[in-house]
Amino acid sequence: MSVIQLQIPAHADFIDVVRLCLHGIASKMRFSYEDIEDMKVAISEACNNAVIYNHKEAKSNTIAICFEIVDTGLSIKIKDNGPGFNYALSLAEALPLQDTEVANLRSGGLGIYLMQALMDKVEVITNGGTEVIMTKYITDGNTIAGME
Amino acid sequence: LDLSAAARFRTALEPIVNEADKTLILNLKNLKYIDSTGLGIIISVLKVRDALKAKFYVREIPVSIKRLLDLTGVSGFLKEGVEGEA
């Protein structure tokens, strides 16, 4: 397993840096264009939540992102030390928009749904902070470059 | 259109979203990226325009953006409108 770590201030202005880093790693692993785009959205959603639910607590807060390259794919851990929110409940309730009247639409809650829909596996550990672990498996035919 | 761009986008929309007698057209041709923050804003605009019974169209949606709109179910509420109607 190869591990790449990145730490950013818990601020929206740095989430694009996480996407760029992910793009580099996933390209090197030869993930498909679609898979890379999917992972970019999923990782951003986890970082969005870390920024929205935590950074008001302390100015020095950071988000730690850990990319773990394994034979089967890429595992990404997004960890913050803020109080977080009830991820377990949100994961269970995450749904796309239902066929309803426009007036009844909710504009929030799509982030967690997207994470689940775009990744193969999403786990959340809340223990003195929030850690989201999301995994994307590399499909057959693609090879992991530079790992020989 | 992510968390860092959301405030600017909301500010840009603010003076025009409530103009009920005009047609609001959002052209997404040059949009490279969107996440739940941007989708949330589009849903908010949909709701405001719906409440005003005002026209709101979204045009030239790139394929990668369309995929996320479809996945989240937002597509079902968007209209492209007829050319020249604006």
Side-chain angles (χ1 to χ4, degrees), chain A residues 55-110:
Chain A
H55 90 114
K56 286 167 201 133
E57 303 295 316
K59 275 183 180 168
S60 59
N61 260 0
T62 55
I63 306 171
I65 299 103
C66 180
F67 300 91
E68 293 182 357
I69 303 168
V70 292
D71 289 342
T72 47
L74 179 62
S75 208
I76 308 161
K77 296 178 177 174
I78 300 101
K79 196 175 190 317
D80 64 68
N81 46 19
F85 65 106
N86 194 337
Y87 249 103
L89 183 69
S90 305
L91 279 171
E93 289 181 345
L95 284 170
L97 297 181
Q98 306 299 301
D99 192 21
T100 177
E101 295 295 314
V102 175
N104 300 331
L105 291 180
R106 294 176 307 136
S107 57
L110 285 175

Short mmCIF file of all heavy atoms in Angstrom, two decimals, chain A residues 55-110:
data_model
loop_
_atom_site.label_atom_id
_atom_site.label_comp_id
_atom_site.label_asym_id
_atom_site.label_seq_id
_atom_site.Cartn_x
_atom_site.Cartn_y
_atom_site.Cartn_z
N HIS A 55 -15.45 24.54 10.98
CA HIS A 55 -14.41 25.56 11.06
C HIS A 55 -14.77 26.75 11.94
O HIS A 55 -13.92 27.50 12.35
CB HIS A 55 -13.96 25.99 9.65
CG HIS A 55 -14.74 27.13 9.08
ND1 HIS A 55 -14.17 28.35 8.84
CD2 HIS A 55 -16.03 27.24 8.73
CE1 HIS A 55 -15.09 29.16 8.33
NE2 HIS A 55 -16.21 28.51 8.26
N LYS A 56 -16.06 26.88 12.26
CA LYS A 56 -16.44 27.99 13.14
C LYS A 56 -15.93 27.77 14.57
O LYS A 56 -15.76 28.71 15.33
CB LYS A 56 -17.97 28.13 13.17
CG LYS A 56 -18.52 28.73 11.89
CD LYS A 56 -20.03 28.57 11.83
CE LYS A 56 -20.51 28.68 10.40
NZ LYS A 56 -21.45 27.61 10.04
N GLU A 57 -15.70 26.52 14.92
CA GLU A 57 -15.29 26.18 16.28
C GLU A 57 -13.91 26.73 16.63
O GLU A 57 -13.67 27.20 17.72
CB GLU A 57 -15.30 24.66 16.48
CG GLU A 57 -16.64 24.01 16.18
CD GLU A 57 -17.72 24.44 17.15
OE1 GLU A 57 -17.43 24.48 18.35
OE2 GLU A 57 -18.84 24.75 16.69
N ALA A 58 -12.98 26.62 15.72
CA ALA A 58 -11.62 27.09 15.99
C ALA A 58 -10.96 27.52 14.69
O ALA A 58 -11.09 26.86 13.68
CB ALA A 58 -10.81 25.97 16.64
N LYS A 59 -10.28 28.64 14.72
CA LYS A 59 -9.67 29.19 13.51
C LYS A 59 -8.53 28.32 12.97
O LYS A 59 -8.21 28.35 11.79
CB LYS A 59 -9.15 30.61 13.78
CG LYS A 59 -10.24 31.65 13.61
CD LYS A 59 -9.71 33.05 13.79
CE LYS A 59 -10.85 34.06 13.61
NZ LYS A 59 -10.45 35.40 14.05
N SER A 60 -7.90 27.57 13.86
CA SER A 60 -6.73 26.79 13.45
C SER A 60 -7.10 25.40 12.92
O SER A 60 -6.24 24.60 12.65
CB SER A 60 -5.78 26.64 14.64
OG SER A 60 -6.46 25.99 15.68
N ASN A 61 -8.41 25.14 12.80
CA ASN A 61 -8.82 23.81 12.37
C ASN A 61 -8.30 23.44 10.98
O ASN A 61 -8.26 24.27 10.08
CB ASN A 61 -10.34 23.70 12.36
CG ASN A 61 -10.85 22.99 13.60
OD1 ASN A 61 -10.06 22.58 14.45
ND2 ASN A 61 -12.14 22.84 13.71
N THR A 62 -7.95 22.19 10.85
CA THR A 62 -7.46 21.70 9.57
C THR A 62 -8.24 20.44 9.17
O THR A 62 -8.91 19.82 10.00
CB THR A 62 -5.95 21.34 9.65
OG1 THR A 62 -5.77 20.40 10.70
CG2 THR A 62 -5.10 22.56 9.89
N ILE A 63 -8.12 20.09 7.91
CA ILE A 63 -8.69 18.84 7.41
C ILE A 63 -7.52 18.01 6.91
O ILE A 63 -6.67 18.50 6.16
CB ILE A 63 -9.68 19.08 6.24
CG1 ILE A 63 -10.77 20.08 6.66
CG2 ILE A 63 -10.31 17.77 5.79
CD1 ILE A 63 -11.66 20.52 5.50
N ALA A 64 -7.45 16.77 7.36
CA ALA A 64 -6.38 15.86 6.92
C ALA A 64 -6.95 14.90 5.91
O ALA A 64 -7.98 14.27 6.14
CB ALA A 64 -5.82 15.11 8.12
N ILE A 65 -6.30 14.82 4.75
CA ILE A 65 -6.76 13.92 3.70
C ILE A 65 -5.66 12.89 3.45
O ILE A 65 -4.49 13.24 3.30
CB ILE A 65 -7.09 14.68 2.40
CG1 ILE A 65 -8.20 15.70 2.65
CG2 ILE A 65 -7.55 13.73 1.29
CD1 ILE A 65 -7.74 17.10 2.76
N CYS A 66 -6.05 11.63 3.47
CA CYS A 66 -5.09 10.56 3.29
C CYS A 66 -5.54 9.68 2.12
O CYS A 66 -6.64 9.16 2.11
CB CYS A 66 -5.03 9.77 4.60
SG CYS A 66 -3.88 8.43 4.55
N PHE A 67 -4.67 9.57 1.12
CA PHE A 67 -4.97 8.74 -0.05
C PHE A 67 -4.22 7.42 0.10
O PHE A 67 -2.99 7.43 0.24
CB PHE A 67 -4.51 9.43 -1.34
CG PHE A 67 -5.15 10.76 -1.60
CD1 PHE A 67 -4.57 11.93 -1.13
CD2 PHE A 67 -6.34 10.85 -2.32
CE1 PHE A 67 -5.16 13.17 -1.38
CE2 PHE A 67 -6.94 12.08 -2.58
CZ PHE A 67 -6.34 13.25 -2.10
N GLU A 68 -4.92 6.32 0.11
CA GLU A 68 -4.27 5.02 0.23
C GLU A 68 -4.45 4.24 -1.07
O GLU A 68 -5.57 3.88 -1.45
CB GLU A 68 -4.86 4.23 1.40
CG GLU A 68 -4.53 4.87 2.74
CD GLU A 68 -5.06 4.08 3.93
OE1 GLU A 68 -5.73 3.04 3.70
OE2 GLU A 68 -4.80 4.50 5.07
N ILE A 69 -3.33 4.01 -1.73
CA ILE A 69 -3.37 3.30 -3.00
C ILE A 69 -3.16 1.81 -2.72
O ILE A 69 -2.13 1.41 -2.17
CB ILE A 69 -2.27 3.81 -3.95
CG1 ILE A 69 -2.43 5.33 -4.16
CG2 ILE A 69 -2.31 3.06 -5.29
CD1 ILE A 69 -1.24 5.98 -4.84
N VAL A 70 -4.16 1.01 -3.04
CA VAL A 70 -4.05 -0.44 -2.86
C VAL A 70 -4.28 -1.13 -4.21
O VAL A 70 -4.68 -0.48 -5.17
CB VAL A 70 -5.04 -0.97 -1.79
CG1 VAL A 70 -4.66 -0.46 -0.41
CG2 VAL A 70 -6.47 -0.56 -2.12
N ASP A 71 -4.04 -2.43 -4.25
CA ASP A 71 -4.19 -3.17 -5.51
C ASP A 71 -5.59 -3.03 -6.11
O ASP A 71 -5.76 -2.97 -7.31
CB ASP A 71 -3.91 -4.67 -5.28
CG ASP A 71 -2.42 -4.91 -5.01
OD1 ASP A 71 -1.62 -4.01 -5.34
OD2 ASP A 71 -2.10 -5.99 -4.48
N THR A 72 -6.58 -2.99 -5.22
CA THR A 72 -7.96 -3.00 -5.69
C THR A 72 -8.48 -1.61 -6.06
O THR A 72 -9.51 -1.49 -6.71
CB THR A 72 -8.89 -3.59 -4.63
OG1 THR A 72 -8.57 -2.98 -3.37
CG2 THR A 72 -8.70 -5.10 -4.53
N GLY A 73 -7.79 -0.57 -5.62
CA GLY A 73 -8.27 0.78 -5.94
C GLY A 73 -7.71 1.85 -5.02
O GLY A 73 -6.59 1.74 -4.52
N LEU A 74 -8.54 2.86 -4.80
CA LEU A 74 -8.10 4.01 -4.02
C LEU A 74 -9.05 4.23 -2.84
O LEU A 74 -10.27 4.28 -3.01
CB LEU A 74 -8.07 5.26 -4.91
CG LEU A 74 -7.66 6.59 -4.29
CD1 LEU A 74 -6.23 6.54 -3.76
CD2 LEU A 74 -7.79 7.72 -5.32
N SER A 75 -8.45 4.36 -1.66
CA SER A 75 -9.21 4.62 -0.46
C SER A 75 -8.84 6.03 0.01
O SER A 75 -7.67 6.34 0.10
CB SER A 75 -8.84 3.58 0.59
OG SER A 75 -9.90 3.37 1.44
N ILE A 76 -9.84 6.86 0.26
CA ILE A 76 -9.56 8.24 0.66
C ILE A 76 -10.17 8.49 2.04
O ILE A 76 -11.35 8.20 2.27
CB ILE A 76 -10.17 9.25 -0.34
CG1 ILE A 76 -9.75 8.91 -1.78
CG2 ILE A 76 -9.77 10.67 0.01
CD1 ILE A 76 -10.65 9.55 -2.84
N LYS A 77 -9.33 8.98 2.97
CA LYS A 77 -9.83 9.28 4.31
C LYS A 77 -9.82 10.79 4.50
O LYS A 77 -8.80 11.43 4.25
CB LYS A 77 -8.93 8.63 5.36
CG LYS A 77 -8.94 7.12 5.30
CD LYS A 77 -7.99 6.53 6.35
CE LYS A 77 -8.08 5.01 6.32
NZ LYS A 77 -7.07 4.40 7.23
N ILE A 78 -10.94 11.33 4.91
CA ILE A 78 -11.05 12.77 5.14
C ILE A 78 -11.38 12.95 6.62
O ILE A 78 -12.44 12.55 7.08
CB ILE A 78 -12.14 13.42 4.26
CG1 ILE A 78 -11.83 13.19 2.78
CG2 ILE A 78 -12.26 14.92 4.52
CD1 ILE A 78 -12.61 12.10 2.13
N LYS A 79 -10.43 13.53 7.35
CA LYS A 79 -10.58 13.59 8.80
C LYS A 79 -10.52 15.02 9.30
O LYS A 79 -9.67 15.80 8.87
CB LYS A 79 -9.46 12.78 9.45
CG LYS A 79 -9.68 12.43 10.90
CD LYS A 79 -8.55 11.53 11.38
CE LYS A 79 -8.77 10.92 12.74
NZ LYS A 79 -9.31 11.78 13.76
N ASP A 80 -11.44 15.38 10.20
CA ASP A 80 -11.36 16.68 10.85
C ASP A 80 -11.56 16.47 12.34
O ASP A 80 -11.96 15.40 12.77
CB ASP A 80 -12.42 17.64 10.27
CG ASP A 80 -13.84 17.17 10.54
OD1 ASP A 80 -14.24 17.17 11.72
OD2 ASP A 80 -14.53 16.76 9.60
N ASN A 81 -11.27 17.49 13.12
CA ASN A 81 -11.38 17.31 14.57
C ASN A 81 -12.53 18.12 15.17
O ASN A 81 -12.57 18.39 16.36
CB ASN A 81 -10.06 17.65 15.27
CG ASN A 81 -9.48 18.96 14.75
OD1 ASN A 81 -10.21 19.75 14.15
ND2 ASN A 81 -8.20 19.19 14.96
N GLY A 82 -13.46 18.48 14.34
CA GLY A 82 -14.62 19.23 14.83
C GLY A 82 -15.70 18.31 15.35
O GLY A 82 -15.58 17.09 15.29
N PRO A 83 -16.77 18.90 15.85
CA PRO A 83 -17.84 18.09 16.44
C PRO A 83 -18.66 17.29 15.40
O PRO A 83 -19.26 16.29 15.74
CB PRO A 83 -18.73 19.12 17.14
CG PRO A 83 -18.46 20.40 16.43
CD PRO A 83 -17.04 20.33 15.96
N GLY A 84 -18.64 17.76 14.16
CA GLY A 84 -19.35 17.02 13.11
C GLY A 84 -20.85 17.03 13.27
O GLY A 84 -21.40 17.86 13.99
N PHE A 85 -21.52 16.11 12.63
CA PHE A 85 -22.96 16.00 12.74
C PHE A 85 -23.33 14.53 12.62
O PHE A 85 -22.46 13.68 12.49
CB PHE A 85 -23.66 16.86 11.68
CG PHE A 85 -23.39 16.41 10.27
CD1 PHE A 85 -24.37 15.77 9.54
CD2 PHE A 85 -22.16 16.64 9.69
CE1 PHE A 85 -24.13 15.37 8.23
CE2 PHE A 85 -21.91 16.24 8.38
CZ PHE A 85 -22.88 15.60 7.66
N ASN A 86 -24.60 14.24 12.69
CA ASN A 86 -25.03 12.85 12.71
C ASN A 86 -24.95 12.22 11.32
O ASN A 86 -25.93 12.16 10.59
CB ASN A 86 -26.44 12.74 13.28
CG ASN A 86 -26.79 11.32 13.65
OD1 ASN A 86 -26.20 10.37 13.11
ND2 ASN A 86 -27.73 11.15 14.54
N TYR A 87 -23.75 11.76 10.98
CA TYR A 87 -23.53 11.17 9.67
C TYR A 87 -24.33 9.89 9.48
O TYR A 87 -24.88 9.64 8.41
CB TYR A 87 -22.04 10.84 9.50
CG TYR A 87 -21.32 11.69 8.49
CD1 TYR A 87 -20.47 12.72 8.90
CD2 TYR A 87 -21.46 11.47 7.13
CE1 TYR A 87 -19.79 13.51 7.99
CE2 TYR A 87 -20.79 12.25 6.21
CZ TYR A 87 -19.95 13.26 6.63
OH TYR A 87 -19.29 14.03 5.73
N ALA A 88 -24.38 9.06 10.54
CA ALA A 88 -25.06 7.77 10.43
C ALA A 88 -26.52 7.97 10.01
O ALA A 88 -27.00 7.31 9.09
CB ALA A 88 -24.99 7.03 11.75
N LEU A 89 -27.18 8.92 10.66
CA LEU A 89 -28.57 9.21 10.34
C LEU A 89 -28.68 9.77 8.91
O LEU A 89 -29.54 9.35 8.14
CB LEU A 89 -29.13 10.24 11.34
CG LEU A 89 -30.60 10.61 11.19
CD1 LEU A 89 -31.49 9.43 11.55
CD2 LEU A 89 -30.94 11.80 12.07
N SER A 90 -27.76 10.69 8.58
CA SER A 90 -27.79 11.30 7.26
C SER A 90 -27.54 10.28 6.15
O SER A 90 -28.16 10.34 5.10
CB SER A 90 -26.76 12.43 7.17
OG SER A 90 -26.97 13.35 8.21
N LEU A 91 -26.61 9.36 6.39
CA LEU A 91 -26.32 8.33 5.39
C LEU A 91 -27.56 7.48 5.12
O LEU A 91 -27.86 7.14 3.99
CB LEU A 91 -25.18 7.42 5.86
CG LEU A 91 -23.74 7.93 5.67
CD1 LEU A 91 -22.76 7.02 6.40
CD2 LEU A 91 -23.36 8.03 4.20
N ALA A 92 -28.28 7.17 6.20
CA ALA A 92 -29.47 6.33 6.06
C ALA A 92 -30.59 7.06 5.32
O ALA A 92 -31.40 6.45 4.64
CB ALA A 92 -29.94 5.90 7.45
N GLU A 93 -30.60 8.39 5.45
CA GLU A 93 -31.70 9.16 4.86
C GLU A 93 -31.37 9.78 3.51
O GLU A 93 -32.20 10.43 2.89
CB GLU A 93 -32.11 10.30 5.82
CG GLU A 93 -32.81 9.79 7.07
CD GLU A 93 -33.22 10.93 7.99
OE1 GLU A 93 -32.72 12.05 7.80
OE2 GLU A 93 -34.04 10.68 8.88
N ALA A 94 -30.11 9.59 3.07
CA ALA A 94 -29.67 10.24 1.84
C ALA A 94 -30.41 9.69 0.61
O ALA A 94 -30.36 8.51 0.32
CB ALA A 94 -28.17 10.06 1.67
N LEU A 95 -31.08 10.58 -0.09
CA LEU A 95 -31.87 10.19 -1.26
C LEU A 95 -31.77 11.25 -2.33
O LEU A 95 -31.53 12.42 -2.03
CB LEU A 95 -33.35 10.07 -0.86
CG LEU A 95 -33.82 8.85 -0.08
CD1 LEU A 95 -35.25 9.08 0.39
CD2 LEU A 95 -33.74 7.60 -0.92
N PRO A 96 -31.95 10.86 -3.60
CA PRO A 96 -32.06 11.90 -4.63
C PRO A 96 -33.40 12.60 -4.48
O PRO A 96 -34.23 12.17 -3.68
CB PRO A 96 -32.00 11.11 -5.94
CG PRO A 96 -32.48 9.75 -5.58
CD PRO A 96 -32.06 9.52 -4.16
N LEU A 97 -33.63 13.66 -5.27
CA LEU A 97 -34.90 14.37 -5.20
C LEU A 97 -36.03 13.44 -5.61
O LEU A 97 -35.88 12.66 -6.54
CB LEU A 97 -34.88 15.59 -6.13
CG LEU A 97 -33.86 16.69 -5.83
CD1 LEU A 97 -34.01 17.82 -6.84
CD2 LEU A 97 -34.00 17.22 -4.42
N GLN A 98 -37.12 13.53 -4.89
CA GLN A 98 -38.27 12.70 -5.22
C GLN A 98 -39.19 13.50 -6.13
O GLN A 98 -39.15 14.72 -6.17
CB GLN A 98 -39.01 12.30 -3.95
CG GLN A 98 -38.12 11.63 -2.91
CD GLN A 98 -37.50 10.33 -3.42
OE1 GLN A 98 -38.21 9.41 -3.79
NE2 GLN A 98 -36.18 10.26 -3.47
N ASP A 99 -40.03 12.76 -6.85
CA ASP A 99 -40.98 13.42 -7.75
C ASP A 99 -42.03 14.12 -6.91
O ASP A 99 -42.90 13.49 -6.31
CB ASP A 99 -41.61 12.36 -8.66
CG ASP A 99 -42.38 13.01 -9.79
OD1 ASP A 99 -42.09 14.19 -10.10
OD2 ASP A 99 -43.25 12.35 -10.36
N THR A 100 -41.94 15.41 -6.84
CA THR A 100 -42.84 16.17 -5.99
C THR A 100 -43.06 17.54 -6.59
O THR A 100 -42.63 17.82 -7.70
CB THR A 100 -42.23 16.28 -4.56
OG1 THR A 100 -43.07 17.08 -3.76
CG2 THR A 100 -40.84 16.90 -4.58
N GLU A 101 -43.74 18.40 -5.90
CA GLU A 101 -43.92 19.78 -6.35
C GLU A 101 -42.63 20.55 -6.09
O GLU A 101 -41.96 20.30 -5.10
CB GLU A 101 -45.06 20.44 -5.56
CG GLU A 101 -46.42 19.82 -5.80
CD GLU A 101 -46.90 20.01 -7.23
OE1 GLU A 101 -46.78 21.14 -7.74
OE2 GLU A 101 -47.36 19.02 -7.84
N VAL A 102 -42.33 21.50 -6.96
CA VAL A 102 -41.11 22.31 -6.80
C VAL A 102 -41.06 22.96 -5.42
O VAL A 102 -40.03 23.01 -4.77
CB VAL A 102 -41.01 23.38 -7.91
CG1 VAL A 102 -39.82 24.30 -7.67
CG2 VAL A 102 -40.88 22.72 -9.28
N ALA A 103 -42.21 23.42 -4.97
CA ALA A 103 -42.27 24.12 -3.69
C ALA A 103 -41.84 23.24 -2.51
O ALA A 103 -41.40 23.74 -1.48
CB ALA A 103 -43.68 24.64 -3.46
N ASN A 104 -41.96 21.91 -2.67
CA ASN A 104 -41.60 21.00 -1.58
C ASN A 104 -40.14 20.53 -1.63
O ASN A 104 -39.71 19.77 -0.78
CB ASN A 104 -42.50 19.76 -1.61
CG ASN A 104 -43.96 20.11 -1.46
OD1 ASN A 104 -44.29 21.12 -0.82
ND2 ASN A 104 -44.83 19.32 -2.06
N LEU A 105 -39.40 20.95 -2.64
CA LEU A 105 -38.02 20.47 -2.78
C LEU A 105 -37.14 20.97 -1.64
O LEU A 105 -37.28 22.09 -1.16
CB LEU A 105 -37.41 20.95 -4.11
CG LEU A 105 -37.98 20.36 -5.40
CD1 LEU A 105 -37.25 20.96 -6.59
CD2 LEU A 105 -37.81 18.85 -5.41
N ARG A 106 -36.20 20.11 -1.24
CA ARG A 106 -35.21 20.51 -0.24
C ARG A 106 -33.93 20.83 -0.99
O ARG A 106 -33.55 20.12 -1.92
CB ARG A 106 -34.92 19.37 0.74
CG ARG A 106 -36.10 18.98 1.61
CD ARG A 106 -35.73 17.78 2.46
NE ARG A 106 -35.22 16.69 1.64
CZ ARG A 106 -34.15 15.96 1.96
NH1 ARG A 106 -33.47 16.21 3.04
NH2 ARG A 106 -33.77 14.98 1.17
N SER A 107 -33.26 21.90 -0.61
CA SER A 107 -32.03 22.26 -1.32
C SER A 107 -30.80 21.69 -0.62
O SER A 107 -29.69 21.77 -1.13
CB SER A 107 -31.91 23.77 -1.48
OG SER A 107 -31.97 24.40 -0.24
N GLY A 108 -30.97 21.09 0.55
CA GLY A 108 -29.82 20.51 1.25
C GLY A 108 -29.87 19.00 1.24
O GLY A 108 -30.83 18.39 0.78
N GLY A 109 -28.81 18.38 1.73
CA GLY A 109 -28.81 16.92 1.90
C GLY A 109 -28.37 16.13 0.70
O GLY A 109 -28.28 14.90 0.77
N LEU A 110 -28.08 16.80 -0.42
CA LEU A 110 -27.67 16.05 -1.60
C LEU A 110 -26.21 15.61 -1.54
O LEU A 110 -25.82 14.65 -2.20
CB LEU A 110 -27.89 16.90 -2.86
CG LEU A 110 -29.33 17.06 -3.34
CD1 LEU A 110 -29.38 18.02 -4.51
CD2 LEU A 110 -29.92 15.71 -3.73
#
